[in-house]
Structure formats: C-alpha cells, structure tokens
Amino acid sequence: CPRDVHFLAYDAGGHEEYQEMEALFLTQEALYLLLWNVAETYDTTEELVGEDTGHHMTKILADWATLIQTCAPGSKVLFVASHADEVENDEVLHARCCRMVGAVHAILETYRAAQQAEIRVLETMEAGSNAIDHSLRLRQLKQIVSQPLQLASEAIAVSASSLQGVETLRRAMIDAVLDSSAFPRFGQPVP
C-alpha cells in the first residue's frame, strides 16, 4: 500500500453542452464525485415525476451518474453536498442530503429496470436486417447491467469557506481508492 495518495482532479462543471465531449474522459480507473449545492432547495419529489420546478439538480446528478455508468460501468461514485455552512442547521442539512441521494438512487433504479426490460425484448427478437445493431445494443446493455455503479449511500457535506467536512471527504476518497473491489490495480504501474 502506498504511503501517499495523490489525486488528479478534473472538474466537469456539469454543463449539459459538454457532456458528450466529457464522456471521452470517463474511465473505470477513476473515482467520481457528484457534487451539488446543498444550500439551494430542490423539490426532489417533483423532479422525480418530471415536473419543472426551476431546479433540476436531481435529474442532472442522475444524468451524470448514467453517463458514468455507460462509459465506465461499475465505477465508484461519491456524493458531495457543497455549501454546507449555508444550511440553517444539521438536521436540515442531513435531510437534504438524504433526499437528494435517495432521489438519485431511485431514478437510477428506474433506468436499470428499463434497461433490463430492453434486454428481455432484445433477447426475444429474431435475426433480421437490424440483427447487428440489436446484438451490439444487447451486449452493451448486458455489460452496463452486470456492472452497476458503486454509488455511495450517503452524501458528504462540505464547505469550502469553513472547511467543514473536508477531512471526512478526504478520508472517504482515500478509503474509496484503497477499496480493491473498486480499484483492483491501485498501486500498480499503469501504462
């Protein structure tokens, strides 16, 4: 086990227009952090059913998780709630973190069920003019479904101004990369 762990961070920024390009940089050899401003209020219940509340953070985080899952199946993903010092109290902070993480997990489970249903449909299709396309899609879906994201069950609340939670995040990141099930080649030379 190495004495020091050094992270090289890339900030995707979350802008939708860059997602296609950023997909080129997603790899299973990376730890992903899905970050949002917890001081902003989001109605995750309405977002789940598709209502436009003016805030789409739950869907944005779920879309990023889906992109990671598609490009780097089985990757390790942590949730990070920023601006924690701007939330009125710890109870509200904890509730917001739990709601967001639960909502993203729920959306991803819905997507996963749809992917499994598509697999069943593709498996029953007869060979025809689109057989190659169906076969490719079936292989892709099976890979995605067989290697679900290692998605954190809780968020880590942090504040850049007060440094609240930064040590907890640092420890979680180190623990994540030392997890041999997520990073079996960690510490080994990589070309």
Side-chain angles (χ1 to χ4, degrees):
C1 180
R3 288 182 339 168
D4 296 317
V5 176
H6 299 274
F7 290 94
L8 178 58
Y10 293 96
D11 179 3
H15 302 93
E16 235 179 280
E17 58 270 19
Y18 299 127
Q19 275 191 349
E20 285 183 38
M21 180 193 67
E22 289 164 349
L24 299 171
F25 299 99
L26 301 180
T27 172
Q28 289 174 310
E29 302 294 324
L31 171 66
Y32 295 93
L33 307 179
L34 292 179
L35 184 128
W36 83 99
N37 181 344
V38 72
E40 302 246 346
T41 56
Y42 305 100
D43 187 341
T44 55
T45 304
E46 288 186 32
E47 288 178 7
L48 279 173
V49 295
E51 297 291 324
D52 182 9
T53 63
H55 296 285
H56 303 286
M57 190 52 61
T58 304
K59 179 139 177 34
I60 290 169
L61 291 178
D63 287 349
W64 275 101
T66 300
L67 181 64
I68 295 166
Q69 174 61 22
T70 301
C71 298
S75 293
K76 188 89 163 182
V77 180
L78 302 177
F79 287 100
V80 180
S82 71
H83 297 80
D85 61 312
E86 297 176 18
V87 178
E88 54 267 24
N89 63 54
D90 288 343
E91 188 176 302
V92 171
L93 176 63
H94 180 73
R96 287 182 183 177
C97 287
C98 288
R99 264 195 318 273
M100 184 63 77
V101 170
V104 172
H105 273 275
I107 290 171
L108 294 180
E109 278 304 312
T110 301
Y111 292 168
R112 187 171 173 78
Q115 290 167 334
Q116 290 170 331
E118 186 177 352
I119 287 171
R120 288 189 297 275
V121 168
L122 289 171
E123 287 176 331
T124 62
M125 293 181 118
E126 293 182 25
S129 62
N130 292 332
I132 294 173
D133 292 340
H134 294 314
S135 177
L136 176 63
R137 177 67 177 157
L138 182 60
R139 278 196 314 273
Q140 289 171 335
L141 282 171
K142 283 184 174 183
Q143 180 184 13
I144 290 168
V145 170
S146 72
Q147 296 177 310
L149 283 181
Q150 297 180 50
L151 200 58
S153 59
E154 296 181 347
I156 300 164
V158 299
S159 167
S161 61
S162 72
L163 300 183
Q164 169 190 346
V166 171
E167 181 58 28
T168 303
L169 176 59
R170 186 188 73 75
R171 186 74 241 158
M173 290 171 64
I174 291 170
D175 289 347
V177 298
L178 294 178
D179 176 0
S180 62
S181 69
F183 298 99
R185 298 184 334 166
F186 182 77
Q188 298 175 9
V190 178

